[in-house]
Amino acid sequence: NDGTLMVFGQPEYTATSSSVAQPTAWYLTSMISADRSDTITLKYNTAIPVVTAQRTTILAERVDPAATLSSRLSYTNHGTMITHNLITIQEINFSNGKIRFDYVADRLDLTGAPRLNFIELYSKRKPGTFERIRKFNFYHSYFTATPGQSSVLNGMLSGSATVYANRLKLDRIVQQGFNDGLTKTLPPYIFEYETSAFPLLGSTAQDYLGYYNGAQANNNLLFYGTGFVNGTEILGRQFGANRSIVPDFLRAGMLKRIRYPGGSYTEFESEPNQISIATVDSVFSYNEYAQLLTSRDRTKSELIFTVTPEMTAGKNDCMAELTLSLFNNLANEPPINTIISLMDQIGRAHV
């Protein structure tokens, strides 16, 4: 710490349907230099109440050995409304200028919430007089949910159909410069996103980490569910929600490319965490091909026999082990010379 004083004087409150509002964040309101000669102040807009919702599903089992599994299980849904008093920055003032933030309260995906419209930079010419020198315009549109989905939050939020189906996204930023009454507009920064199917707000089609996986048949997010195996009802993972990771759906809405005013661009590649596991299919069947060359059969100089290893469907690697035991029972005879050749079915040698 260099001695700069940070003052956090703007609280932000959040309340739920079962609790009173509590401060959940404190925003920076001023920065004062170590020698107290310079101050940067931050001013905020009046808080805007924004309502969101969440729903929790609980599966409980009653202890009763005499009862059937279905009668012992119960599902309970808990819905909670959350009111978040949204704080947005309005202005930043410093010794030789200021930055102003402008918003538009027309969001389709969050009733009452604003979106950033533009940011303006001003230079201070004399006390109380500012000249605009730069402006950044923000252009937005929406991701739209793929039709045919259902949401566990249905009926909990106002403007449901529109709120659930849309998500705000930033399309481009356009910079403008101002000097001597002239305006210069630069080429935009353009943001491109993955265009795969998009989830509805409150969708239960989620993988283990909460990313979209396209599993529209999920009624909840529980890993376990009930079903029958060989006529017996059980509680098992195979009957629970499909929480598997599907990379194509996972990328929904992710930033793919940023194009810069000069023509260059940055690309982003997204993929789930993964590990590579090398598996070996071992076939534990043993075929012994016994061959005996004795002193009474000294004319036999070559032994040929066929081995057909077993293969697992879909595999293209086969590992075989050949054990060779050679004995010369004749006294004072030289060692047996051995050459082993493995021939495939079309006559190729693999030594």
Side-chain angles (χ1 to χ4, degrees):
N1 192 329
D2 62 358
T4 300
L5 179 64
M6 305 284 191
V7 180
F8 295 83
Q10 176 63 61
E12 186 174 64
Y13 291 88
T14 301
T16 68
S17 51
S18 59
S19 67
V20 298
Q22 298 289 338
T24 49
W26 288 86
Y27 287 84
L28 183 67
T29 52
S30 62
M31 293 181 287
I32 306 172
S33 63
D35 62 2
R36 306 300 186 260
S37 64
D38 192 16
T39 300
I40 298 174
T41 59
L42 296 89
K43 183 180 178 181
Y44 296 89
N45 293 303
T46 302
I48 299 173
V50 175
V51 179
T52 59
Q54 66 181 31
R55 186 182 295 274
T56 304
T57 301
I58 298 174
L59 173 60
E61 182 177 2
R62 176 171 53 89
V63 179
D64 186 353
T68 63
L69 179 62
S70 295
S71 63
R72 297 198 309 267
L73 298 177
S74 62
Y75 290 87
T76 305
N77 293 311
H78 296 277
T80 302
M81 305 300 294
I82 303 169
T83 302
H84 184 67
N85 291 287
L86 183 65
I87 299 295
T88 55
I89 184 73
Q90 180 188 96
E91 198 169 88
I92 301 175
N93 288 275
F94 41 93
S95 58
N96 59 347
K98 68 178 182 179
I99 302 173
R100 189 173 76 87
F101 301 81
D102 182 81
Y103 302 86
V104 179
D106 63 354
R107 288 186 61 167
L108 301 178
D109 60 335
L110 203 56
T111 303
R115 62 179 178 86
L116 184 60
N117 188 26
F118 60 79
I119 300 174
E120 291 179 321
L121 174 62
Y122 291 83
S123 176
K124 181 180 287 187
R125 296 308 184 195
K126 57 183 180 179
T129 302
F130 295 89
E131 180 182 354
R132 186 176 63 171
I133 58 176
R134 192 163 300 171
K135 182 180 181 181
F136 297 89
N137 299 283
F138 294 79
Y139 296 88
H140 304 89
S141 64
Y142 291 87
F143 296 106
T144 302
T146 306
Q149 301 183 49
S150 59
S151 170
V152 297
L153 302 179
N154 275 341
M156 297 185 68
L157 298 173
S158 60
S160 296
T162 300
V163 169
Y164 295 164
N166 291 279
R167 298 286 194 289
L168 187 71
K169 66 175 178 178
L170 177 63
D171 291 324
R172 65 187 190 278
I173 299 175
V174 177
Q175 181 181 173
Q176 293 178 301
F178 307 96
N179 188 28
D180 294 331
L182 299 176
T183 300
K184 182 178 181 179
T185 301
L186 300 179
Y189 293 82
I190 299 174
F191 302 87
E192 300 175 9
Y193 303 86
E194 296 288 351
T195 57
S196 55
F198 203 80
L200 200 67
L201 179 66
S203 170
T204 53
Q206 300 180 26
D207 65 20
Y208 296 106
L209 298 178
Y211 291 97
Y212 184 51
N213 69 354
Q216 306 298 346
N218 289 347
N219 294 319
N220 52 55
L221 295 175
L222 297 176
F223 293 114
Y224 288 85
T226 59
F228 288 86
V229 175
N230 297 325
T232 302
E233 188 177 22
I234 66 168
L235 181 66
R237 287 289 295 269
Q238 66 267 46
F239 302 114
N242 178 0
R243 305 296 299 278
S244 60
I245 296 172
V246 183
D248 288 342
F249 287 117
L250 176 149
R251 298 186 183 93
M254 288 188 176
L255 184 62
K256 183 173 66 175
R257 185 180 295 112
I258 300 176
R259 296 188 181 275
Y260 301 102
S264 61
Y265 60 87
T266 298
E267 286 191 340
F268 302 87
E269 293 186 8
S270 304
E271 64 180 11
N273 294 326
Q274 55 187 313
I275 59 174
S276 178
I277 300 176
T279 60
V280 179
D281 286 353
S282 299
V283 180
F284 295 98
S285 60
Y286 176 68
N287 295 311
E288 181 177 356
Y289 297 87
Q291 299 288 339
L292 179 63
L293 179 61
T294 69
S295 59
R296 296 185 179 86
D297 192 13
R298 299 185 66 173
T299 60
K300 192 171 185 178
S301 61
E302 184 180 52
L303 297 177
I304 300 176
F305 53 90
T306 302
V307 178
T308 305
E310 299 181 28
M311 296 285 287
T312 302
K315 302 297 182 181
N316 56 11
D317 293 320
C318 178
M319 181 179 293
E321 180 178 306
L322 176 63
T323 301
L324 185 65
S325 298
L326 301 174
F327 300 94
N328 191 342
N329 292 325
L330 299 178
N332 301 318
E333 288 289 331
I336 298 175
N337 293 322
T338 306
I339 298 176
I340 300 175
S341 297
L342 300 179
M343 311 294 291
D344 62 22
Q345 60 183 356
I346 61 174
R348 293 176 302 187
H350 302 273
V351 179

